[in-house]
PDB file of all heavy atoms in Angstrom:
ATOM      1  N   HIS A1543     -10.278  -3.216  16.276  1.00  0.00           N
ATOM      2  CA  HIS A1543     -10.811  -1.859  16.137  1.00  0.00           C
ATOM      3  C   HIS A1543     -10.047  -1.186  15.021  1.00  0.00           C
ATOM      4  O   HIS A1543      -9.011  -0.574  15.259  1.00  0.00           O
ATOM      5  CB  HIS A1543     -10.640  -1.119  17.470  1.00  0.00           C
ATOM      6  CG  HIS A1543     -11.774  -0.235  17.817  1.00  0.00           C
ATOM      7  ND1 HIS A1543     -13.034  -0.310  17.294  1.00  0.00           N
ATOM      8  CD2 HIS A1543     -11.837   0.811  18.681  1.00  0.00           C
ATOM      9  CE1 HIS A1543     -13.848   0.566  17.782  1.00  0.00           C
ATOM     10  NE2 HIS A1543     -13.158   1.303  18.661  1.00  0.00           N
ATOM     11  N   LEU A1544     -10.500  -1.335  13.763  1.00  0.00           N
ATOM     12  CA  LEU A1544      -9.899  -0.648  12.661  1.00  0.00           C
ATOM     13  C   LEU A1544      -8.408  -0.943  12.524  1.00  0.00           C
ATOM     14  O   LEU A1544      -7.558  -0.095  12.709  1.00  0.00           O
ATOM     15  CB  LEU A1544     -10.184   0.866  12.750  1.00  0.00           C
ATOM     16  CG  LEU A1544     -11.632   1.212  12.602  1.00  0.00           C
ATOM     17  CD1 LEU A1544     -11.902   2.602  13.090  1.00  0.00           C
ATOM     18  CD2 LEU A1544     -12.114   1.043  11.189  1.00  0.00           C
ATOM     19  N   SER A1545      -8.097  -2.203  12.200  1.00  0.00           N
ATOM     20  CA  SER A1545      -6.699  -2.570  11.937  1.00  0.00           C
ATOM     21  C   SER A1545      -6.289  -2.045  10.585  1.00  0.00           C
ATOM     22  O   SER A1545      -7.019  -2.038   9.600  1.00  0.00           O
ATOM     23  CB  SER A1545      -6.544  -4.103  12.027  1.00  0.00           C
ATOM     24  OG  SER A1545      -7.394  -4.746  11.144  1.00  0.00           O
ATOM     25  N   THR A1546      -5.043  -1.535  10.520  1.00  0.00           N
ATOM     26  CA  THR A1546      -4.469  -0.969   9.309  1.00  0.00           C
ATOM     27  C   THR A1546      -3.458  -1.877   8.684  1.00  0.00           C
ATOM     28  O   THR A1546      -3.428  -2.080   7.454  1.00  0.00           O
ATOM     29  CB  THR A1546      -3.887   0.417   9.561  1.00  0.00           C
ATOM     30  OG1 THR A1546      -4.889   1.310  10.103  1.00  0.00           O
ATOM     31  CG2 THR A1546      -3.271   1.035   8.301  1.00  0.00           C
ATOM     32  N   MET A1547      -2.544  -2.430   9.497  1.00  0.00           N
ATOM     33  CA  MET A1547      -1.460  -3.264   8.950  1.00  0.00           C
ATOM     34  C   MET A1547      -0.743  -4.004  10.030  1.00  0.00           C
ATOM     35  O   MET A1547      -0.844  -3.679  11.222  1.00  0.00           O
ATOM     36  CB  MET A1547      -0.423  -2.378   8.204  1.00  0.00           C
ATOM     37  CG  MET A1547       0.354  -1.418   9.086  1.00  0.00           C
ATOM     38  SD  MET A1547       1.506  -0.365   8.154  1.00  0.00           S
ATOM     39  CE  MET A1547       0.347   0.609   7.163  1.00  0.00           C
ATOM     40  N   THR A1548      -0.029  -5.049   9.623  1.00  0.00           N
ATOM     41  CA  THR A1548       0.954  -5.722  10.440  1.00  0.00           C
ATOM     42  C   THR A1548       2.304  -5.565   9.722  1.00  0.00           C
ATOM     43  O   THR A1548       2.404  -5.492   8.503  1.00  0.00           O
ATOM     44  CB  THR A1548       0.619  -7.199  10.610  1.00  0.00           C
ATOM     45  OG1 THR A1548       0.383  -7.793   9.331  1.00  0.00           O
ATOM     46  CG2 THR A1548      -0.531  -7.439  11.506  1.00  0.00           C
ATOM     47  N   VAL A1549       3.381  -5.515  10.544  1.00  0.00           N
ATOM     48  CA  VAL A1549       4.745  -5.527  10.022  1.00  0.00           C
ATOM     49  C   VAL A1549       5.550  -6.472  10.900  1.00  0.00           C
ATOM     50  O   VAL A1549       5.188  -6.779  12.067  1.00  0.00           O
ATOM     51  CB  VAL A1549       5.392  -4.140  10.022  1.00  0.00           C
ATOM     52  CG1 VAL A1549       4.603  -3.177   9.068  1.00  0.00           C
ATOM     53  CG2 VAL A1549       5.469  -3.518  11.416  1.00  0.00           C
ATOM     54  N   LEU A1550       6.702  -6.943  10.374  1.00  0.00           N
ATOM     55  CA  LEU A1550       7.536  -7.931  11.045  1.00  0.00           C
ATOM     56  C   LEU A1550       8.819  -7.291  11.486  1.00  0.00           C
ATOM     57  O   LEU A1550       9.470  -6.500  10.808  1.00  0.00           O
ATOM     58  CB  LEU A1550       7.824  -9.055  10.089  1.00  0.00           C
ATOM     59  CG  LEU A1550       6.620  -9.769   9.427  1.00  0.00           C
ATOM     60  CD1 LEU A1550       7.107 -10.950   8.572  1.00  0.00           C
ATOM     61  CD2 LEU A1550       5.603 -10.226  10.450  1.00  0.00           C
ATOM     62  N   GLY A1551       9.282  -7.726  12.704  1.00  0.00           N
ATOM     63  CA  GLY A1551      10.521  -7.301  13.237  1.00  0.00           C
ATOM     64  C   GLY A1551      11.522  -8.487  13.264  1.00  0.00           C
ATOM     65  O   GLY A1551      11.837  -9.013  12.243  1.00  0.00           O
ATOM     66  N   GLU A1552      11.992  -8.800  14.476  1.00  0.00           N
ATOM     67  CA  GLU A1552      12.819 -10.011  14.631  1.00  0.00           C
ATOM     68  C   GLU A1552      11.955 -11.237  14.382  1.00  0.00           C
ATOM     69  O   GLU A1552      10.724 -11.178  14.408  1.00  0.00           O
ATOM     70  CB  GLU A1552      13.411 -10.076  16.060  1.00  0.00           C
ATOM     71  CG  GLU A1552      14.387  -8.981  16.404  1.00  0.00           C
ATOM     72  CD  GLU A1552      15.793  -9.335  15.898  1.00  0.00           C
ATOM     73  OE1 GLU A1552      15.933 -10.365  15.160  1.00  0.00           O
ATOM     74  OE2 GLU A1552      16.723  -8.585  16.266  1.00  0.00           O
ATOM     75  N   PRO A1553      12.602 -12.396  14.092  1.00  0.00           N
ATOM     76  CA  PRO A1553      11.791 -13.625  13.909  1.00  0.00           C
ATOM     77  C   PRO A1553      10.799 -13.855  15.010  1.00  0.00           C
ATOM     78  O   PRO A1553      11.131 -13.795  16.197  1.00  0.00           O
ATOM     79  CB  PRO A1553      12.899 -14.748  13.884  1.00  0.00           C
ATOM     80  CG  PRO A1553      14.078 -14.034  13.296  1.00  0.00           C
ATOM     81  CD  PRO A1553      14.007 -12.635  13.893  1.00  0.00           C
ATOM     82  N   GLY A1554       9.513 -13.983  14.601  1.00  0.00           N
ATOM     83  CA  GLY A1554       8.437 -14.207  15.538  1.00  0.00           C
ATOM     84  C   GLY A1554       7.781 -12.920  16.014  1.00  0.00           C
ATOM     85  O   GLY A1554       6.672 -12.991  16.628  1.00  0.00           O
ATOM     86  N   GLU A1555       8.350 -11.751  15.734  1.00  0.00           N
ATOM     87  CA  GLU A1555       7.715 -10.470  16.085  1.00  0.00           C
ATOM     88  C   GLU A1555       6.725 -10.028  15.005  1.00  0.00           C
ATOM     89  O   GLU A1555       7.089  -9.857  13.859  1.00  0.00           O
ATOM     90  CB  GLU A1555       8.797  -9.353  16.293  1.00  0.00           C
ATOM     91  CG  GLU A1555       9.557  -9.502  17.567  1.00  0.00           C
ATOM     92  CD  GLU A1555      10.541  -8.364  17.740  1.00  0.00           C
ATOM     93  OE1 GLU A1555      10.891  -7.669  16.742  1.00  0.00           O
ATOM     94  OE2 GLU A1555      10.985  -8.138  18.929  1.00  0.00           O
ATOM     95  N   VAL A1556       5.490  -9.767  15.431  1.00  0.00           N
ATOM     96  CA  VAL A1556       4.445  -9.243  14.531  1.00  0.00           C
ATOM     97  C   VAL A1556       3.824  -8.097  15.253  1.00  0.00           C
ATOM     98  O   VAL A1556       3.298  -8.223  16.380  1.00  0.00           O
ATOM     99  CB  VAL A1556       3.387 -10.316  14.253  1.00  0.00           C
ATOM    100  CG1 VAL A1556       2.333  -9.734  13.296  1.00  0.00           C
ATOM    101  CG2 VAL A1556       4.015 -11.557  13.659  1.00  0.00           C
ATOM    102  N   PHE A1557       3.846  -6.902  14.631  1.00  0.00           N
ATOM    103  CA  PHE A1557       3.249  -5.666  15.228  1.00  0.00           C
ATOM    104  C   PHE A1557       2.005  -5.301  14.458  1.00  0.00           C
ATOM    105  O   PHE A1557       1.988  -5.313  13.212  1.00  0.00           O
ATOM    106  CB  PHE A1557       4.285  -4.541  15.131  1.00  0.00           C
ATOM    107  CG  PHE A1557       5.520  -4.788  15.926  1.00  0.00           C
ATOM    108  CD1 PHE A1557       6.654  -5.297  15.308  1.00  0.00           C
ATOM    109  CD2 PHE A1557       5.547  -4.460  17.263  1.00  0.00           C
ATOM    110  CE1 PHE A1557       7.822  -5.544  16.075  1.00  0.00           C
ATOM    111  CE2 PHE A1557       6.671  -4.670  18.022  1.00  0.00           C
ATOM    112  CZ  PHE A1557       7.801  -5.214  17.431  1.00  0.00           C
ATOM    113  N   LEU A1558       0.955  -4.989  15.216  1.00  0.00           N
ATOM    114  CA  LEU A1558      -0.361  -4.620  14.671  1.00  0.00           C
ATOM    115  C   LEU A1558      -0.652  -3.169  14.951  1.00  0.00           C
ATOM    116  O   LEU A1558      -0.524  -2.740  16.086  1.00  0.00           O
ATOM    117  CB  LEU A1558      -1.427  -5.513  15.244  1.00  0.00           C
ATOM    118  CG  LEU A1558      -2.866  -5.115  14.967  1.00  0.00           C
ATOM    119  CD1 LEU A1558      -3.234  -5.277  13.466  1.00  0.00           C
ATOM    120  CD2 LEU A1558      -3.827  -5.987  15.820  1.00  0.00           C
ATOM    121  N   LEU A1559      -1.065  -2.418  13.936  1.00  0.00           N
ATOM    122  CA  LEU A1559      -1.477  -1.005  14.127  1.00  0.00           C
ATOM    123  C   LEU A1559      -2.997  -0.934  14.023  1.00  0.00           C
ATOM    124  O   LEU A1559      -3.564  -1.357  13.010  1.00  0.00           O
ATOM    125  CB  LEU A1559      -0.794  -0.129  13.071  1.00  0.00           C
ATOM    126  CG  LEU A1559      -1.252   1.335  13.037  1.00  0.00           C
ATOM    127  CD1 LEU A1559      -0.864   2.048  14.359  1.00  0.00           C
ATOM    128  CD2 LEU A1559      -0.631   2.074  11.837  1.00  0.00           C
ATOM    129  N   THR A1560      -3.617  -0.348  15.035  1.00  0.00           N
ATOM    130  CA  THR A1560      -5.076  -0.078  14.966  1.00  0.00           C
ATOM    131  C   THR A1560      -5.319   1.374  15.356  1.00  0.00           C
ATOM    132  O   THR A1560      -4.443   2.061  15.840  1.00  0.00           O
ATOM    133  CB  THR A1560      -5.845  -0.977  15.977  1.00  0.00           C
ATOM    134  OG1 THR A1560      -5.367  -0.762  17.290  1.00  0.00           O
ATOM    135  CG2 THR A1560      -5.670  -2.448  15.652  1.00  0.00           C
ATOM    136  N   HIS A1561      -6.555   1.814  15.140  1.00  0.00           N
ATOM    137  CA  HIS A1561      -6.890   3.187  15.544  1.00  0.00           C
ATOM    138  C   HIS A1561      -8.386   3.307  15.853  1.00  0.00           C
ATOM    139  O   HIS A1561      -9.195   2.437  15.506  1.00  0.00           O
ATOM    140  CB  HIS A1561      -6.507   4.173  14.387  1.00  0.00           C
ATOM    141  CG  HIS A1561      -7.273   4.021  13.140  1.00  0.00           C
ATOM    142  ND1 HIS A1561      -8.449   4.728  12.888  1.00  0.00           N
ATOM    143  CD2 HIS A1561      -7.063   3.301  11.997  1.00  0.00           C
ATOM    144  CE1 HIS A1561      -8.918   4.393  11.681  1.00  0.00           C
ATOM    145  NE2 HIS A1561      -8.105   3.534  11.182  1.00  0.00           N
ATOM    146  N   SER A1562      -8.757   4.376  16.484  1.00  0.00           N
ATOM    147  CA  SER A1562     -10.121   4.618  16.866  1.00  0.00           C
ATOM    148  C   SER A1562     -10.795   5.446  15.757  1.00  0.00           C
ATOM    149  O   SER A1562     -10.162   6.026  14.893  1.00  0.00           O
ATOM    150  CB  SER A1562     -10.198   5.385  18.178  1.00  0.00           C
ATOM    151  OG  SER A1562      -9.564   6.642  18.089  1.00  0.00           O
ATOM    152  N   VAL A1563     -12.144   5.500  15.815  1.00  0.00           N
ATOM    153  CA  VAL A1563     -12.852   6.262  14.797  1.00  0.00           C
ATOM    154  C   VAL A1563     -14.066   6.979  15.354  1.00  0.00           C
ATOM    155  O   VAL A1563     -14.457   8.018  14.825  1.00  0.00           O
ATOM    156  CB  VAL A1563     -13.278   5.330  13.626  1.00  0.00           C
ATOM    157  CG1 VAL A1563     -14.334   4.340  14.071  1.00  0.00           C
ATOM    158  CG2 VAL A1563     -13.829   6.116  12.446  1.00  0.00           C
ATOM    159  N   LEU A1564     -14.697   6.441  16.387  1.00  0.00           N
ATOM    160  CA  LEU A1564     -15.958   6.998  16.902  1.00  0.00           C
ATOM    161  C   LEU A1564     -15.879   8.469  17.198  1.00  0.00           C
ATOM    162  O   LEU A1564     -16.816   9.245  16.840  1.00  0.00           O
ATOM    163  CB  LEU A1564     -16.434   6.195  18.129  1.00  0.00           C
ATOM    164  CG  LEU A1564     -17.825   6.619  18.686  1.00  0.00           C
ATOM    165  CD1 LEU A1564     -18.928   6.374  17.675  1.00  0.00           C
ATOM    166  CD2 LEU A1564     -18.111   5.785  19.980  1.00  0.00           C
ATOM    167  N   ALA A1565     -14.774   8.915  17.804  1.00  0.00           N
ATOM    168  CA  ALA A1565     -14.646  10.304  18.217  1.00  0.00           C
ATOM    169  C   ALA A1565     -14.708  11.231  17.050  1.00  0.00           C
ATOM    170  O   ALA A1565     -15.135  12.373  17.122  1.00  0.00           O
ATOM    171  CB  ALA A1565     -13.343  10.493  18.983  1.00  0.00           C
ATOM    172  N   SER A1566     -14.216  10.694  15.856  1.00  0.00           N
ATOM    173  CA  SER A1566     -14.203  11.599  14.696  1.00  0.00           C
ATOM    174  C   SER A1566     -15.577  11.986  14.160  1.00  0.00           C
ATOM    175  O   SER A1566     -15.753  13.022  13.553  1.00  0.00           O
ATOM    176  CB  SER A1566     -13.418  10.880  13.550  1.00  0.00           C
ATOM    177  OG  SER A1566     -14.168   9.748  13.073  1.00  0.00           O
ATOM    178  N   HIS A1567     -16.558  11.154  14.505  1.00  0.00           N
ATOM    179  CA  HIS A1567     -17.936  11.464  14.127  1.00  0.00           C
ATOM    180  C   HIS A1567     -18.497  12.649  14.914  1.00  0.00           C
ATOM    181  O   HIS A1567     -19.473  13.291  14.500  1.00  0.00           O
ATOM    182  CB  HIS A1567     -18.856  10.260  14.314  1.00  0.00           C
ATOM    183  CG  HIS A1567     -18.475   9.099  13.493  1.00  0.00           C
ATOM    184  ND1 HIS A1567     -18.098   9.170  12.186  1.00  0.00           N
ATOM    185  CD2 HIS A1567     -18.407   7.736  13.827  1.00  0.00           C
ATOM    186  CE1 HIS A1567     -17.840   7.918  11.719  1.00  0.00           C
ATOM    187  NE2 HIS A1567     -18.033   7.068  12.750  1.00  0.00           N
ATOM    188  N   PHE A1568     -17.809  12.991  16.014  1.00  0.00           N
ATOM    189  CA  PHE A1568     -18.255  14.141  16.804  1.00  0.00           C
ATOM    190  C   PHE A1568     -17.246  15.273  16.738  1.00  0.00           C
ATOM    191  O   PHE A1568     -17.257  16.214  17.599  1.00  0.00           O
ATOM    192  CB  PHE A1568     -18.480  13.683  18.258  1.00  0.00           C
ATOM    193  CG  PHE A1568     -19.439  12.582  18.391  1.00  0.00           C
ATOM    194  CD1 PHE A1568     -19.027  11.265  18.514  1.00  0.00           C
ATOM    195  CD2 PHE A1568     -20.801  12.833  18.449  1.00  0.00           C
ATOM    196  CE1 PHE A1568     -19.930  10.226  18.646  1.00  0.00           C
ATOM    197  CE2 PHE A1568     -21.728  11.808  18.588  1.00  0.00           C
ATOM    198  CZ  PHE A1568     -21.322  10.502  18.666  1.00  0.00           C
ATOM    199  N   GLY A1569     -16.332  15.228  15.772  1.00  0.00           N
ATOM    200  CA  GLY A1569     -15.347  16.263  15.593  1.00  0.00           C
ATOM    201  C   GLY A1569     -14.236  16.226  16.624  1.00  0.00           C
ATOM    202  O   GLY A1569     -13.561  17.236  16.770  1.00  0.00           O
ATOM    203  N   LEU A1570     -14.080  15.084  17.275  1.00  0.00           N
ATOM    204  CA  LEU A1570     -13.108  14.926  18.305  1.00  0.00           C
ATOM    205  C   LEU A1570     -11.827  14.201  17.826  1.00  0.00           C
ATOM    206  O   LEU A1570     -11.903  13.554  16.802  1.00  0.00           O
ATOM    207  CB  LEU A1570     -13.690  14.182  19.549  1.00  0.00           C
ATOM    208  CG  LEU A1570     -14.915  14.851  20.164  1.00  0.00           C
ATOM    209  CD1 LEU A1570     -15.473  13.948  21.276  1.00  0.00           C
ATOM    210  CD2 LEU A1570     -14.607  16.247  20.718  1.00  0.00           C
ATOM    211  N   ALA A1571     -10.754  14.321  18.555  1.00  0.00           N
ATOM    212  CA  ALA A1571      -9.468  13.704  18.199  1.00  0.00           C
ATOM    213  C   ALA A1571      -9.578  12.189  18.337  1.00  0.00           C
ATOM    214  O   ALA A1571     -10.192  11.696  19.298  1.00  0.00           O
ATOM    215  CB  ALA A1571      -8.346  14.283  19.047  1.00  0.00           C
ATOM    216  N   THR A1572      -8.907  11.476  17.432  1.00  0.00           N
ATOM    217  CA  THR A1572      -8.807  10.008  17.477  1.00  0.00           C
ATOM    218  C   THR A1572      -7.372   9.629  17.906  1.00  0.00           C
ATOM    219  O   THR A1572      -6.478  10.456  17.953  1.00  0.00           O
ATOM    220  CB  THR A1572      -9.160   9.401  16.167  1.00  0.00           C
ATOM    221  OG1 THR A1572      -8.230   9.825  15.143  1.00  0.00           O
ATOM    222  CG2 THR A1572     -10.571   9.696  15.721  1.00  0.00           C
ATOM    223  N   SER A1573      -7.145   8.371  18.168  1.00  0.00           N
ATOM    224  CA  SER A1573      -5.833   7.882  18.588  1.00  0.00           C
ATOM    225  C   SER A1573      -5.546   6.547  17.945  1.00  0.00           C
ATOM    226  O   SER A1573      -6.408   5.859  17.368  1.00  0.00           O
ATOM    227  CB  SER A1573      -5.798   7.772  20.130  1.00  0.00           C
ATOM    228  OG  SER A1573      -6.780   6.773  20.530  1.00  0.00           O
ATOM    229  N   ALA A1574      -4.298   6.160  18.017  1.00  0.00           N
ATOM    230  CA  ALA A1574      -3.822   4.874  17.452  1.00  0.00           C
ATOM    231  C   ALA A1574      -3.190   4.043  18.569  1.00  0.00           C
ATOM    232  O   ALA A1574      -2.911   4.523  19.656  1.00  0.00           O
ATOM    233  CB  ALA A1574      -2.802   5.131  16.340  1.00  0.00           C
ATOM    234  N   GLN A1575      -2.910   2.783  18.264  1.00  0.00           N
ATOM    235  CA  GLN A1575      -2.280   1.903  19.224  1.00  0.00           C
ATOM    236  C   GLN A1575      -1.492   0.834  18.476  1.00  0.00           C
ATOM    237  O   GLN A1575      -1.894   0.329  17.411  1.00  0.00           O
ATOM    238  CB  GLN A1575      -3.292   1.252  20.123  1.00  0.00           C
ATOM    239  CG  GLN A1575      -2.715   0.552  21.345  1.00  0.00           C
ATOM    240  CD  GLN A1575      -3.736   0.249  22.404  1.00  0.00           C
ATOM    241  OE1 GLN A1575      -4.896  -0.067  22.135  1.00  0.00           O
ATOM    242  NE2 GLN A1575      -3.358   0.438  23.669  1.00  0.00           N
ATOM    243  N   VAL A1576      -0.337   0.472  19.021  1.00  0.00           N
ATOM    244  CA  VAL A1576       0.507  -0.601  18.435  1.00  0.00           C
ATOM    245  C   VAL A1576       0.520  -1.749  19.442  1.00  0.00           C
ATOM    246  O   VAL A1576       0.665  -1.557  20.663  1.00  0.00           O
ATOM    247  CB  VAL A1576       1.956  -0.128  18.246  1.00  0.00           C
ATOM    248  CG1 VAL A1576       2.814  -1.267  17.690  1.00  0.00           C
ATOM    249  CG2 VAL A1576       1.932   1.022  17.179  1.00  0.00           C
TER     250      VAL A1576
END
Side-chain angles (χ1 to χ4, degrees):
H1543 218 19
L1544 296 164
S1545 57
T1546 300
M1547 66 182 66
T1548 49
V1549 297
L1550 307 182
E1552 292 278 7
E1555 286 183 339
V1556 181
F1557 296 93
L1558 169 66
L1559 176 64
T1560 60
H1561 66 90
S1562 63
V1563 67
L1564 184 61
S1566 67
H1567 298 318
F1568 302 97
L1570 302 175
T1572 61
S1573 61
Q1575 192 163 38
V1576 176

